């Protein structure tokens, strides 16, 4: 097995596959992408230049949830990251990808990226929109957590 995860610790999208790898003690090489050589290497594997990206030999796997599913199928450990029941797995995918990724992590990444820019490159409108989306997503998460805690499905 020769797994390599292309990632950066500030990229929230990389955390999901890292949790799956660490939780099951799956051996892998962490390829930090932050310099020109790292970006060039990533682009040679995935022209879109987005991470996380997992290499397994000649196979290239992209997108957090797909990487986790790939790991669970090819390198299952003692901790299951995806429910065995198909309906539960689909529900988990919906909450993980749509809710968490699109409505929490994407706006959060917008806020972080904006802070890393120079003052003249900042995007006040984009930041305001991201904060609004984050507030809405957190409100939805609180309502879902409350409904689950009182047995509403």
């Amino acid at each position: 097995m020769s797994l390599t995860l292309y990632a950066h610790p500030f990229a929230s999208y990389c955390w999901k596959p890292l949790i799956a790898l660490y939780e099951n003690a799956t051996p892998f090489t962490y390829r930090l992408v932050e310099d020109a050589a790292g970006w060039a290497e990533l682009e040679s594997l995935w022209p879109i230049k987005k991470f996380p990206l997992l290499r397994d030999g000649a196979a290239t796997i992209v997108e957090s949830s797909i990487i986790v599913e790939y790991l669970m199928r090819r390198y299952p450990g003692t901790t299951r990251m995806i429910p065995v029941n198909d309906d539960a797995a689909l529900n988990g995918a919906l909450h993980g990808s749509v809710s968490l990724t699109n409505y929490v992590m994407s706006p959060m990444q917008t806020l972080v990226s904006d802070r890393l820019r120079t003052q003249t490159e900042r995007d006040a409108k984009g930041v305001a929109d991201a904060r609004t989306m984050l507030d809405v997503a957190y409100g939805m998460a609180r309502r879902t957590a409350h409904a689950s805690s009182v047995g509403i499905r």
Side-chain angles (χ1 to χ4, degrees):
M1 167 176 26
S2 62
L3 296 175
T4 301
L5 182 70
Y6 291 78
H8 193 282
F10 293 164
S12 57
Y13 301 104
C14 299
W15 302 344
K16 240 194 302 195
L18 278 171
I19 290 167
L21 288 160
Y22 287 135
E23 193 64 30
N24 282 312
T26 306
F28 74 101
T29 300
Y30 188 100
R31 177 60 168 101
L32 178 64
V33 178
E34 69 176 351
D35 60 6
W39 284 106
E41 191 176 335
L42 180 68
E43 183 176 18
S44 74
L45 299 169
W46 185 235
I48 294 175
K49 296 189 289 185
K50 296 283 186 180
F51 41 66
L53 178 142
L54 182 73
R55 288 286 288 181
D56 183 6
T60 299
I61 303 90
V62 297
E63 303 295 335
S64 297
S65 295
I66 296 169
I67 292 171
V68 171
E69 186 166 338
Y70 179 87
L71 291 169
M72 294 303 98
R73 290 173 186 237
R74 302 287 169 99
Y75 302 97
T78 56
T79 304
R80 269 210 67 75
M81 300 291 152
I82 299 171
V84 177
N85 175 286
D86 287 342
D87 290 338
L90 285 172
N91 192 36
L94 171 67
H95 284 46
S97 291
V98 175
S99 301
L100 182 64
T101 303
N102 292 330
Y103 303 133
V104 174
M105 300 319 252
S106 289
M108 185 182 80
Q109 200 65 44
T110 298
L111 298 175
V112 170
S113 296
D114 194 72
R115 291 293 293 174
L116 297 174
R117 293 180 182 146
T118 64
Q119 191 67 33
T120 58
E121 295 176 314
R122 292 205 174 147
D123 176 13
K125 171 80 168 104
V127 166
D129 291 347
R131 286 188 190 281
T132 299
M133 177 60 72
L134 208 47
D135 289 343
V136 169
Y138 284 152
M140 290 171 56
R142 280 191 293 277
R143 285 189 296 282
T144 300
H146 174 71
S148 294
S149 70
V150 294
I152 299 170
R153 301 276 175 210

